[in-house]
Amino acid sequence: MEWKEIMDKEEHSFWGLLGMELISVDKQMVEIGLNADERHLNSMGIVHGGVLSAMMDQSMGTLVASVKGRLGVTTHLNVQFLSPMHKGVLKVSAFPLHETYRTMTLRAEVRDAEGVLGCISTATFRVPKA
């Protein structure tokens, strides 16, 4: 599956609903951006943890596709929230940690425009049989 085809599908999925933007992708790192606005906030006025978790999950899944050449599914996601994130530009970066034939373990982090670390995540993905 080509990147253009994947991104065309993403625009009409949860990715598009949240407003995520692919910044860069290769086999060592994926970066995704989001301009957080009112719709991304919780009742406390900070970016909802589900939005941050989705950003990290999506960035790691995109990295899996980059490395494995096909899409995988999340089998485990661990998130630690460190600092509240507010409206504005957020960027998530994902990096590989470990790889086997059909699984990958990765890490991701979300930072705001000032570089404040908002949350970190690790996840394991499984690539279904072809």
Side-chain angles (χ1 to χ4, degrees):
M1 186 175 283
E2 297 295 322
W3 279 111
K4 178 167 179 4
E5 183 182 356
I6 292 172
M7 295 314 300
D8 286 346
K9 285 184 177 184
E10 293 291 9
E11 288 302 318
H12 302 289
S13 69
F14 190 60
W15 168 291
L17 178 68
L18 285 179
M20 290 187 272
E21 173 188 348
L22 184 63
I23 298 171
S24 67
V25 59
D26 62 36
K27 294 182 186 301
Q28 297 303 312
M29 182 175 70
V30 164
E31 292 180 310
I32 292 173
L34 175 74
N35 189 9
D37 59 33
E38 292 292 330
R39 66 189 163 143
H40 299 105
L41 305 182
N42 63 21
S43 58
M44 295 175 60
I46 58 176
V47 177
H48 193 285
V51 172
L52 299 170
S53 297
M55 289 178 68
M56 292 185 291
D57 184 47
Q58 190 69 50
S59 67
M60 291 183 284
T62 302
L63 185 53
V64 169
S66 175
V67 171
K68 297 292 192 183
R70 55 195 173 121
L71 300 173
V73 295
T74 310
T75 61
H76 176 82
L77 179 68
N78 182 49
V79 177
Q80 292 180 283
F81 300 102
L82 305 172
S83 299
M85 296 283 96
H86 302 280
K87 289 192 295 186
V89 175
L90 302 176
K91 184 167 75 170
V92 58
S93 303
F95 309 91
L97 292 175
H98 183 261
E99 179 182 354
T100 68
Y101 178 70
R102 290 193 44 214
T103 66
M104 276 190 77
T105 302
L106 308 99
R107 70 179 174 89
E109 58 184 42
V110 177
R111 294 181 183 270
D112 66 14
E114 287 76 42
V116 173
L117 182 61
C119 52
I120 58 174
S121 179
T122 56
T124 301
F125 285 74
R126 184 155 179 88
V127 177
K129 290 181 182 177

